[in-house]
PDB file of all heavy atoms in Angstrom:
ATOM      1  N   THR A 208      -2.850 -64.156-111.053  1.00 96.00           N
ATOM      2  CA  THR A 208      -2.327 -65.466-110.638  1.00 96.00           C
ATOM      3  C   THR A 208      -1.806 -65.450-109.162  1.00 96.00           C
ATOM      4  O   THR A 208      -1.365 -66.487-108.692  1.00 96.00           O
ATOM      5  CB  THR A 208      -1.197 -65.933-111.518  1.00 96.00           C
ATOM      6  OG1 THR A 208      -0.183 -64.888-111.495  1.00 96.00           O
ATOM      7  CG2 THR A 208      -1.724 -66.127-112.971  1.00 96.00           C
ATOM      8  N   ASN A 209      -1.887 -64.267-108.556  1.00 94.00           N
ATOM      9  CA  ASN A 209      -1.427 -64.118-107.141  1.00 94.00           C
ATOM     10  C   ASN A 209       0.057 -64.611-107.028  1.00 94.00           C
ATOM     11  O   ASN A 209       0.371 -65.372-106.098  1.00 94.00           O
ATOM     12  CB  ASN A 209      -2.318 -64.825-106.190  1.00 94.00           C
ATOM     13  CG  ASN A 209      -2.076 -64.446-104.724  1.00 94.00           C
ATOM     14  OD1 ASN A 209      -1.525 -63.402-104.456  1.00 94.00           O
ATOM     15  ND2 ASN A 209      -2.527 -65.236-103.821  1.00 94.00           N
ATOM     16  N   ILE A 210       0.905 -64.204-107.956  1.00 95.00           N
ATOM     17  CA  ILE A 210       2.290 -64.685-107.911  1.00 95.00           C
ATOM     18  C   ILE A 210       2.989 -64.314-106.609  1.00 95.00           C
ATOM     19  O   ILE A 210       3.933 -65.048-106.162  1.00 95.00           O
ATOM     20  CB  ILE A 210       3.036 -64.087-109.134  1.00 95.00           C
ATOM     21  CG1 ILE A 210       2.643 -64.819-110.417  1.00 95.00           C
ATOM     22  CG2 ILE A 210       4.552 -64.222-108.935  1.00 95.00           C
ATOM     23  CD1 ILE A 210       3.375 -64.314-111.647  1.00 95.00           C
ATOM     24  N   GLU A 211       2.565 -63.224-106.014  1.00 93.00           N
ATOM     25  CA  GLU A 211       3.183 -62.777-104.739  1.00 93.00           C
ATOM     26  C   GLU A 211       3.142 -63.845-103.707  1.00 93.00           C
ATOM     27  O   GLU A 211       4.050 -64.025-102.880  1.00 93.00           O
ATOM     28  CB  GLU A 211       2.551 -61.486-104.229  1.00 93.00           C
ATOM     29  CG  GLU A 211       3.256 -60.854-103.048  1.00 93.00           C
ATOM     30  CD  GLU A 211       4.687 -60.469-103.366  1.00 93.00           C
ATOM     31  OE1 GLU A 211       5.001 -59.970-104.472  1.00 93.00           O
ATOM     32  OE2 GLU A 211       5.502 -60.667-102.487  1.00 93.00           O
ATOM     33  N   ALA A 212       2.059 -64.650-103.701  1.00 94.00           N
ATOM     34  CA  ALA A 212       1.894 -65.706-102.682  1.00 94.00           C
ATOM     35  C   ALA A 212       2.886 -66.865-102.868  1.00 94.00           C
ATOM     36  O   ALA A 212       3.178 -67.628-101.972  1.00 94.00           O
ATOM     37  CB  ALA A 212       0.465 -66.268-102.759  1.00 94.00           C
ATOM     38  N   TYR A 213       3.455 -66.920-104.098  1.00 95.00           N
ATOM     39  CA  TYR A 213       4.419 -68.013-104.388  1.00 95.00           C
ATOM     40  C   TYR A 213       5.868 -67.569-104.248  1.00 95.00           C
ATOM     41  O   TYR A 213       6.769 -68.334-104.348  1.00 95.00           O
ATOM     42  CB  TYR A 213       4.204 -68.502-105.826  1.00 95.00           C
ATOM     43  CG  TYR A 213       2.829 -69.101-106.027  1.00 95.00           C
ATOM     44  CD1 TYR A 213       1.770 -68.244-106.473  1.00 95.00           C
ATOM     45  CD2 TYR A 213       2.546 -70.418-105.829  1.00 95.00           C
ATOM     46  CE1 TYR A 213       0.511 -68.751-106.674  1.00 95.00           C
ATOM     47  CE2 TYR A 213       1.241 -70.972-106.019  1.00 95.00           C
ATOM     48  CZ  TYR A 213       0.221 -70.102-106.438  1.00 95.00           C
ATOM     49  OH  TYR A 213      -1.007 -70.611-106.658  1.00 95.00           O
ATOM     50  N   GLY A 214       6.104 -66.261-104.036  1.00 93.00           N
ATOM     51  CA  GLY A 214       7.425 -65.720-103.909  1.00 93.00           C
ATOM     52  C   GLY A 214       7.656 -64.351-104.528  1.00 93.00           C
ATOM     53  O   GLY A 214       8.607 -63.680-104.223  1.00 93.00           O
ATOM     54  N   GLY A 215       6.740 -63.994-105.411  1.00 93.00           N
ATOM     55  CA  GLY A 215       6.793 -62.652-105.992  1.00 93.00           C
ATOM     56  C   GLY A 215       7.689 -62.504-107.260  1.00 93.00           C
ATOM     57  O   GLY A 215       8.234 -63.461-107.738  1.00 93.00           O
ATOM     58  N   VAL A 216       7.800 -61.272-107.706  1.00 93.00           N
ATOM     59  CA  VAL A 216       8.485 -60.937-108.904  1.00 93.00           C
ATOM     60  C   VAL A 216       9.626 -59.953-108.619  1.00 93.00           C
ATOM     61  O   VAL A 216       9.421 -58.987-107.892  1.00 93.00           O
ATOM     62  CB  VAL A 216       7.527 -60.360-109.968  1.00 93.00           C
ATOM     63  CG1 VAL A 216       8.307 -59.921-111.246  1.00 93.00           C
ATOM     64  CG2 VAL A 216       6.395 -61.262-110.301  1.00 93.00           C
ATOM     65  N   ASN A 217      10.784 -60.144-109.179  1.00 90.00           N
ATOM     66  CA  ASN A 217      11.909 -59.235-109.079  1.00 90.00           C
ATOM     67  C   ASN A 217      11.800 -58.294-110.295  1.00 90.00           C
ATOM     68  O   ASN A 217      11.866 -58.699-111.428  1.00 90.00           O
ATOM     69  CB  ASN A 217      13.241 -60.050-109.094  1.00 90.00           C
ATOM     70  CG  ASN A 217      14.440 -59.088-108.856  1.00 90.00           C
ATOM     71  OD1 ASN A 217      14.386 -57.898-109.135  1.00 90.00           O
ATOM     72  ND2 ASN A 217      15.472 -59.645-108.232  1.00 90.00           N
ATOM     73  N   PHE A 218      11.645 -56.973-109.953  1.00 86.00           N
ATOM     74  CA  PHE A 218      11.506 -55.996-111.055  1.00 86.00           C
ATOM     75  C   PHE A 218      12.851 -55.371-111.409  1.00 86.00           C
ATOM     76  O   PHE A 218      12.916 -54.552-112.328  1.00 86.00           O
ATOM     77  CB  PHE A 218      10.545 -54.831-110.594  1.00 86.00           C
ATOM     78  CG  PHE A 218       9.097 -55.297-110.654  1.00 86.00           C
ATOM     79  CD1 PHE A 218       8.546 -55.962-109.586  1.00 86.00           C
ATOM     80  CD2 PHE A 218       8.325 -54.985-111.766  1.00 86.00           C
ATOM     81  CE1 PHE A 218       7.210 -56.360-109.619  1.00 86.00           C
ATOM     82  CE2 PHE A 218       7.013 -55.350-111.798  1.00 86.00           C
ATOM     83  CZ  PHE A 218       6.440 -56.035-110.748  1.00 86.00           C
ATOM     84  N   ASP A 219      13.970 -55.688-110.714  1.00 80.00           N
ATOM     85  CA  ASP A 219      15.213 -55.026-110.928  1.00 80.00           C
ATOM     86  C   ASP A 219      16.253 -55.858-111.665  1.00 80.00           C
ATOM     87  O   ASP A 219      17.248 -55.313-112.084  1.00 80.00           O
ATOM     88  CB  ASP A 219      15.805 -54.611-109.569  1.00 80.00           C
ATOM     89  CG  ASP A 219      14.948 -53.652-108.803  1.00 80.00           C
ATOM     90  OD1 ASP A 219      14.300 -52.792-109.466  1.00 80.00           O
ATOM     91  OD2 ASP A 219      14.813 -53.815-107.583  1.00 80.00           O
ATOM     92  N   ALA A 220      16.000 -57.116-111.836  1.00 80.00           N
ATOM     93  CA  ALA A 220      17.035 -57.968-112.497  1.00 80.00           C
ATOM     94  C   ALA A 220      16.423 -58.791-113.638  1.00 80.00           C
ATOM     95  O   ALA A 220      15.161 -58.875-113.763  1.00 80.00           O
ATOM     96  CB  ALA A 220      17.561 -59.029-111.428  1.00 80.00           C
ATOM     97  N   LYS A 221      17.234 -59.283-114.521  1.00 81.00           N
ATOM     98  CA  LYS A 221      16.730 -60.071-115.664  1.00 81.00           C
ATOM     99  C   LYS A 221      16.352 -61.490-115.266  1.00 81.00           C
ATOM    100  O   LYS A 221      15.392 -62.015-115.741  1.00 81.00           O
ATOM    101  CB  LYS A 221      17.802 -60.108-116.777  1.00 81.00           C
ATOM    102  CG  LYS A 221      17.877 -58.896-117.645  1.00 81.00           C
ATOM    103  CD  LYS A 221      18.844 -59.120-118.773  1.00 81.00           C
ATOM    104  CE  LYS A 221      18.293 -60.163-119.732  1.00 81.00           C
ATOM    105  NZ  LYS A 221      19.206 -60.533-120.783  1.00 81.00           N
ATOM    106  N   HIS A 222      17.149 -62.062-114.332  1.00 82.00           N
ATOM    107  CA  HIS A 222      16.925 -63.459-114.012  1.00 82.00           C
ATOM    108  C   HIS A 222      16.883 -63.596-112.485  1.00 82.00           C
ATOM    109  O   HIS A 222      17.378 -62.821-111.737  1.00 82.00           O
ATOM    110  CB  HIS A 222      18.028 -64.342-114.566  1.00 82.00           C
ATOM    111  CG  HIS A 222      18.131 -64.275-116.077  1.00 82.00           C
ATOM    112  ND1 HIS A 222      17.064 -64.474-116.862  1.00 82.00           N
ATOM    113  CD2 HIS A 222      19.224 -63.990-116.890  1.00 82.00           C
ATOM    114  CE1 HIS A 222      17.438 -64.313-118.148  1.00 82.00           C
ATOM    115  NE2 HIS A 222      18.752 -64.009-118.180  1.00 82.00           N
ATOM    116  N   VAL A 223      16.234 -64.671-112.058  1.00 87.00           N
ATOM    117  CA  VAL A 223      16.043 -64.963-110.630  1.00 87.00           C
ATOM    118  C   VAL A 223      17.305 -65.517-110.012  1.00 87.00           C
ATOM    119  O   VAL A 223      18.037 -66.225-110.620  1.00 87.00           O
ATOM    120  CB  VAL A 223      14.877 -66.000-110.472  1.00 87.00           C
ATOM    121  CG1 VAL A 223      14.756 -66.443-109.008  1.00 87.00           C
ATOM    122  CG2 VAL A 223      13.570 -65.388-110.858  1.00 87.00           C
ATOM    123  N   ARG A 224      17.629 -65.076-108.816  1.00 83.00           N
ATOM    124  CA  ARG A 224      18.736 -65.640-108.063  1.00 83.00           C
ATOM    125  C   ARG A 224      18.246 -66.678-107.054  1.00 83.00           C
ATOM    126  O   ARG A 224      17.178 -66.455-106.456  1.00 83.00           O
ATOM    127  CB  ARG A 224      19.475 -64.510-107.367  1.00 83.00           C
ATOM    128  CG  ARG A 224      20.158 -63.539-108.345  1.00 83.00           C
ATOM    129  CD  ARG A 224      20.976 -62.493-107.544  1.00 83.00           C
ATOM    130  NE  ARG A 224      21.662 -61.611-108.458  1.00 83.00           N
ATOM    131  CZ  ARG A 224      21.124 -60.511-109.060  1.00 83.00           C
ATOM    132  NH1 ARG A 224      19.858 -60.203-108.791  1.00 83.00           N
ATOM    133  NH2 ARG A 224      21.864 -59.779-109.870  1.00 83.00           N
ATOM    134  N   VAL A 225      19.007 -67.690-106.876  1.00 82.00           N
ATOM    135  CA  VAL A 225      18.689 -68.783-105.960  1.00 82.00           C
ATOM    136  C   VAL A 225      18.513 -68.239-104.527  1.00 82.00           C
ATOM    137  O   VAL A 225      17.693 -68.717-103.775  1.00 82.00           O
ATOM    138  CB  VAL A 225      19.746 -69.875-105.957  1.00 82.00           C
ATOM    139  CG1 VAL A 225      19.492 -70.969-104.916  1.00 82.00           C
ATOM    140  CG2 VAL A 225      19.815 -70.530-107.347  1.00 82.00           C
TER     141      VAL A 225
END
Side-chain angles (χ1 to χ4, degrees):
T208 57
N209 194 19
I210 286 181
E211 189 58 41
Y213 299 90
V216 178
N217 187 332
F218 284 84
D219 299 320
K221 279 187 67 187
H222 301 308
V223 172
R224 292 183 178 86
V225 174

